[in-house]
Amino acid sequence: MNIKNFLGFRPKLLPTIFTVLAMIVLLSLSFWQFKRLIWKNELINVIEKQIQLPSINLPDKVDMDNMVYRKVSLKGRFMNDYEMYLYGGSRQFKGGNGFFILTPMLLKDNRIVIVNRGWIDEKRRDPEKRPETIISELTEIEGYIMPSENRPLYVHDNQIKINLWFYIDLLEIEGHLNRPVENYYILAKTNKETSLKTKDLSPNIRNNHLGYALIWLFSAIALGFIYVYYHKKYNN
């Protein structure tokens, strides 16, 4: 049985090449989104489990396999001269452009932990415009253990020379500070005593991967039908 008898038409070279390549791309995107769906569901389950546990004091050594997203308390002094500015948060806090304030905290054992203290409108980025956030005395905070981040897709590289950050890469921060930092950072819990806006860690994370996966899958199927229809209409 030849291809013409099997399909009911004689495939044309260029449409066939285009269709095969396009379907490979579409099916690859669909598969990737299904993988992301599995990863996101696992992440949500881990966060949901961890935030239900009671808060503990930050241990000397953090086992990231078991303690990521765990709620902890820690005491130290903010290294205010080394603040960093993480762009974002406008959707989360329904405001204009702004920055999360990342401040190293020096613990009593000389460990340095990066703390995401909360969000501020870009108009108040400069410390002089928010003196109430510049805390020099020994301070105790509560927050969640968070992992270092890789650059997300379609996100700018960190602009280290101008102290502008788009994601929290702790190795880059360590190089920027020229001193060792812990391999996790702390996401500060909601604190009504500061003008920095915070939100508690939540498992309610956007999870649209199933929808995207189905869109790519059905697009591949539709392209296949169009390919067959085209050839049957013009070759018969």
Side-chain angles (χ1 to χ4, degrees), residues 40-57:
K40 185 63 72 65
N41 286 336
E42 291 175 348
L43 173 64
I44 291 171
N45 289 335
V46 170
I47 293 176
E48 193 170 39
K49 176 182 176 182
Q50 292 290 68
I51 64 177
Q52 298 300 321
L53 297 175
S55 179
I56 60 173
N57 291 328

Side-chain angles (χ1 to χ4, degrees), residues 39-40 43-44 47 69 201-209:
W39 167 80
K40 185 63 72 65
L43 173 64
I44 291 171
I47 293 176
Y69 309 119
L201 186 63
S202 170
N204 298 322
I205 301 172
R206 287 195 307 162
N207 189 2
N208 301 322
H209 298 296

Side-chain angles (χ1 to χ4, degrees), residues 89-142:
S90 58
R91 178 186 297 172
Q92 183 178 0
F93 294 102
K94 299 180 180 179
N97 295 329
F99 303 89
F100 291 95
I101 304 301
L102 308 179
T103 310
M105 174 177 269
L106 180 63
L107 308 185
K108 63 180 180 180
D109 58 5
N110 291 322
R111 282 184 293 164
I112 297 176
V113 177
I114 303 302
V115 180
N116 183 342
R117 299 177 58 198
W119 184 86
I120 198 77
D121 185 273
E122 65 176 347
K123 296 177 182 178
R124 299 188 65 208
R125 167 178 163 167
D126 294 339
E128 295 80 10
K129 297 180 179 180
R130 46 179 174 85
E132 75 283 358
T133 68
I134 308 304
I135 303 172
S136 57
E137 64 267 18
L138 191 64
T139 304
E140 184 171 5
I141 66 167
E142 189 175 50

Side-chain angles (χ1 to χ4, degrees), residues 11 19 39 56 60 93 109 179 186 213 217:
T19 300
W39 167 80
I56 60 173
D60 294 336
F93 294 102
D109 58 5
R179 58 188 69 199
I186 299 296
L217 177 61

Side-chain angles (χ1 to χ4, degrees), residues 21-223:
L21 293 177
M23 290 188 72
I24 289 174
V25 172
L26 292 171
L27 291 173
S28 297
L29 288 170
S30 178
F31 178 72
W32 177 66
Q33 288 293 345
F34 276 118
K35 287 181 63 178
R36 295 282 294 175
L37 173 65
I38 294 172
W39 167 80
K40 185 63 72 65
N41 286 336
E42 291 175 348
L43 173 64
I44 291 171
N45 289 335
V46 170
I47 293 176
E48 193 170 39
K49 176 182 176 182
Q50 292 290 68
I51 64 177
Q52 298 300 321
L53 297 175
S55 179
I56 60 173
N57 291 328
L58 181 69
D60 294 336
K61 292 185 179 181
V62 172
D63 178 7
M64 291 297 288
D65 290 335
N66 296 306
M67 293 198 65
V68 65
Y69 309 119
R70 184 70 190 270
K71 188 169 24 180
V72 296
S73 61
L74 59 159
K75 185 181 291 186
R77 296 183 185 276
F78 286 123
M79 303 168 64
N80 295 299
D81 292 339
Y82 297 93
E83 273 189 355
M84 292 160 283
Y85 308 104
L86 176 69
Y87 183 79
S90 58
R91 178 186 297 172
Q92 183 178 0
F93 294 102
K94 299 180 180 179
N97 295 329
F99 303 89
F100 291 95
I101 304 301
L102 308 179
T103 310
M105 174 177 269
L106 180 63
L107 308 185
K108 63 180 180 180
D109 58 5
N110 291 322
R111 282 184 293 164
I112 297 176
V113 177
I114 303 302
V115 180
N116 183 342
R117 299 177 58 198
W119 184 86
I120 198 77
D121 185 273
E122 65 176 347
K123 296 177 182 178
R124 299 188 65 208
R125 167 178 163 167
D126 294 339
E128 295 80 10
K129 297 180 179 180
R130 46 179 174 85
E132 75 283 358
T133 68
I134 308 304
I135 303 172
S136 57
E137 64 267 18
L138 191 64
T139 304
E140 184 171 5
I141 66 167
E142 189 175 50
Y144 305 92
I145 294 175
M146 304 294 291
S148 183
E149 301 170 356
N150 296 318
R151 185 175 72 85
L153 196 63
Y154 306 125
V155 171
H156 292 289
D157 290 325
N158 288 323
Q159 304 297 306
I160 300 174
K161 291 184 179 180
I162 59 173
N163 197 16
L164 177 60
W165 305 78
F166 296 96
Y167 58 98
I168 303 178
D169 184 324
L170 293 168
L171 285 178
E172 286 190 335
I173 288 177
E174 188 172 81
H176 170 68
L177 298 176
N178 196 28
R179 58 188 69 199
V181 301
E182 295 299 292
N183 65 338
Y184 56 87
Y185 72 94
I186 299 296
L187 176 65
K189 274 177 56 62
T190 298
N191 184 352
K192 296 179 180 179
E193 297 178 358
T194 177
S195 60
L196 298 173
K197 295 181 180 180
T198 59
K199 284 190 176 181
D200 289 342
L201 186 63
S202 170
N204 298 322
I205 301 172
R206 287 195 307 162
N207 189 2
N208 301 322
H209 298 296
L210 178 59
Y212 293 139
L214 293 177
I215 288 173
W216 296 125
L217 177 61
F218 289 135
S219 296
I221 294 172
L223 181 61

Side-chain angles (χ1 to χ4, degrees), residues 222-235:
L223 181 61
F225 278 114
I226 292 172
Y227 173 79
V228 173
Y229 175 79
Y230 168 82
H231 282 86
K232 281 185 173 295
K233 181 176 181 179
Y234 292 101
N235 290 165

